[in-house]
Amino acid sequence: MTYLQLVNKVLIRLRETTVTTVNENAYSALIGEFVNDAKRMVEDAWNWSHLRDTQTYTIVTDVDELTLTGISGRSKIVKTFNTTDKVELTYKSRDWFNNQKYLGDAVAGSTAYYTYKTVNTSDNIELFLYPSTGSGTTTFVIDCIVKQDDLSSDSTVLKVPYTPVIDLAVALAARERGETGGTAAVEFFGIADKSLSDAIAIDSMQHPEELVYVAV
């Protein structure tokens, strides 16, 4: 469903006139903001299969840092692989990395550990790597959940399920202006919670292993 269609779905539920572009008037633009707020809330609620992606990065110099271009600060790393040396990288704490860097001896070998460094000014995640990649070419594959940028163009298509986004946007709009058609905002939020939980239940069937917790 496109950004414009989402906005019009919300406007209809608020008993407002539909528009031909999101920024047609001040109120439709406000609803567009609520749609993006709702989109972010839905994205953050679950590791949606709609947002799963695999990114590949090739390093040709000896480095101990990796910038994940295209993976924003709101995104989530699921698994990281050093495909050159056939190693799955293990997450370690920042304290562990500091101990290796400042207190440990230099170690050569396959890059096997990572931790988060920061989110840079371009909104890309940066990682620390250990050991460093060495002088040869090293390829990393990142299995990740990449959150969609805010919707801006009328024709931009939403990636996550649209029903909870619409319901949450209606709830946010109802809270902003008060009771809508006899329905209080708290009731709209209840409807939104139900549609979100239903959407998560449906999507979780594609990855049932992620609902199984194993003691380690």
Side-chain angles (χ1 to χ4, degrees), residues 4-197:
L4 177 59
Q5 289 173 326
L6 290 164
V7 168
N8 279 328
K9 290 286 188 182
V10 175
L11 287 171
I12 289 170
R13 285 161 173 77
L14 296 172
R15 301 184 182 185
E16 297 287 343
T17 303
T18 58
V19 294
T20 57
T21 183
V22 171
N23 293 316
E24 185 168 309
N25 55 61
Y27 192 66
S28 64
L30 175 63
I31 296 303
E33 291 298 312
F34 288 144
V35 165
N36 273 313
D37 290 343
K39 178 190 76 72
R40 289 190 293 270
M41 294 166 67
V42 170
E43 287 176 336
D44 293 341
W46 172 249
N47 292 336
W48 299 99
S49 58
H50 314 65
L51 303 178
R52 291 175 185 259
D53 197 9
T54 300
Q55 302 278 358
T56 301
Y57 303 89
T58 299
I59 306 299
V60 296
T61 57
D62 185 11
V63 298
D64 61 0
E65 298 180 13
L66 176 63
T67 299
L68 305 183
T69 304
I71 301 182
S72 70
R74 292 184 58 241
S75 300
K76 177 182 178 181
I77 294 174
V78 179
K79 286 182 179 287
T80 304
F81 302 95
N82 172 351
T83 58
T84 300
D85 299 317
K86 309 301 181 186
V87 175
E88 180 181 342
L89 272 65
T90 301
Y91 170 81
K92 292 291 187 179
S93 70
R94 189 67 172 267
D95 284 343
W96 186 92
F97 263 76
N98 287 338
N99 287 337
Q100 306 309 310
K101 182 175 182 178
Y102 301 118
L103 303 179
D105 297 325
V107 174
S110 301
T111 303
Y113 304 99
Y114 78 96
T115 198
Y116 291 91
K117 176 188 177 184
T118 189
V119 176
N120 63 25
T121 54
S122 299
D123 195 31
N124 293 316
I125 292 175
E126 294 185 0
L127 303 179
F128 282 127
L129 305 174
Y130 186 83
S132 63
T133 57
S135 57
T137 298
T138 305
T139 299
F140 296 96
V141 173
I142 313 293
D143 183 21
C144 51
I145 309 293
V146 179
K147 309 294 177 66
Q148 186 178 13
D149 291 338
D150 280 356
L151 308 178
S152 57
S153 171
D154 289 348
S155 59
T156 303
V157 177
L158 178 72
K159 292 184 177 180
V160 294
Y162 62 83
T163 301
V165 172
I166 292 171
D167 289 341
L168 273 168
V170 170
L172 292 169
R175 183 176 64 183
E176 185 272 337
R177 75 175 187 179
E179 184 179 279
T180 298
T183 305
V186 64
E187 295 178 74
F188 282 120
F189 278 108
I191 294 170
D193 286 344
K194 179 63 166 60
S195 64
L196 178 58
S197 64

